[in-house]
Every structure is written in C-alpha cells, then in structure tokens.
Amino acid sequence: SEQEIVPWLQAHHLTTGLGTYNEANLITLDSGGRIAIRTVSWRFDRDVPRLFESNADWYDPRHNYANFIVTNTADTTPNRDRSLRRSSMIPAPAIAALHAGPPVHVYHYKTFTIMVWNHNLLNNLGSPASTLPGEIPCYVKCV
C-alpha cells in the first residue's frame, strides 16, 4: 500500500518528487497533499512533465523543488496478453534520460525504491509537456 511510504518520506524530509502515474496519484492522495509526487512521461530519449490530471505550475522549477524519484515493485497492470507489467517501475534508461547524474542516495523501504538527488530534477525535464503517458513497459532493467 502506498500509505506505508508516506511517514517514511516525511521522516526523511522528502516532500516533492517524481514518479509514475500510479505513485503520483496514490501517494499524493494518501498523504493529504503533504507529499507531492508529480507524474512524468518517462521515455528513453527525454522525460517530460505529464499534463494529464495535473497542473503545469507543479513542474515550474522556479516555484517547486523535486529531488527524488519513487518506484514501487508491488504495482502491476495487466497487458493485453494477460501478462503483468510493473506499472510503477521505471526503466533505468528512462531515468538516465533525465541527465541528472547518479542519485546521491538510494533507499529501499518495503516494496519502494527512493532515489534522491542534491538538485531540482524539475530542471532536468524536457519540453514540451505531454498529455500522453509515454511510459515504457518495464520488463528488464527496472528501477
């Protein structure tokens, strides 16, 4: 459950980060907005803000500071062939496409991986923003 990660993030002073659509919605809702996970269209060549059920201002690095990415091995989504894909995992090449360098800390808490940087990841997002998911099904090299 995403509720489990909320107190952990708060205890580590991680209040705004990036993630997949599932994690963004569930963690932000479960925390009552105290933790804000912003959804990104993850791609192999560049990652952009996902403007679907979101606000463009959330991604403005002049007003917001997001310094971590959260993923979750517990979330799965059925494919058309009935196999399951890890819907809250992000392929390592998509994270590398941020050109943010390696994280300074990588934490594992239950089914979650939390990667932390010492700078604002919003500065690393490309443009234009997308209303499309752009999420790559994660079968190998998932983070």
Side-chain angles (χ1 to χ4, degrees):
S1 160
E2 280 73 8
Q3 290 176 338
E4 297 172 341
I5 192 72
V6 171
W8 189 95
L9 291 169
Q10 288 178 313
H12 288 82
H13 308 287
L14 297 170
T15 58
T16 305
L18 306 177
T20 64
Y21 180 77
N22 287 357
E23 297 315 299
N25 287 312
L26 295 172
I27 292 172
T28 303
L29 180 65
D30 286 345
S31 72
R34 292 182 311 276
I35 306 293
I37 306 298
R38 303 306 182 201
T39 187
V40 170
S41 288
W42 300 101
R43 302 172 180 174
F44 287 134
D45 59 341
R46 65 186 171 89
D47 304 304
V48 299
R50 184 175 179 199
L51 295 185
F52 175 74
E53 297 180 345
S54 60
N55 184 319
D57 188 55
W58 294 347
Y59 301 94
D60 186 341
R62 295 172 298 175
H63 305 291
N64 297 286
Y65 185 87
N67 65 330
F68 68 95
I69 296 172
V70 62
T71 63
N72 185 358
T73 60
D75 290 339
T76 57
T77 301
N79 292 308
R80 289 187 185 126
D81 67 359
R82 297 186 189 161
S83 63
L84 295 176
R85 74 174 169 94
R86 295 175 176 173
S87 53
S88 290
M89 299 292 290
I90 304 167
I95 292 175
L98 280 177
H99 303 290
V104 294
H105 297 288
V106 177
Y107 300 103
H108 299 281
Y109 178 75
K110 298 194 178 191
T111 60
F112 298 92
T113 298
I114 305 95
M115 296 158 277
V116 181
W117 282 259
N118 280 338
H119 69 274
N120 192 351
L121 296 174
L122 297 175
N123 287 317
N124 297 90
L125 291 176
S127 63
S130 175
T131 56
L132 301 174
E135 292 174 3
I136 305 160
C138 199
Y139 302 108
V140 295
K141 296 185 181 177
C142 302
V143 178

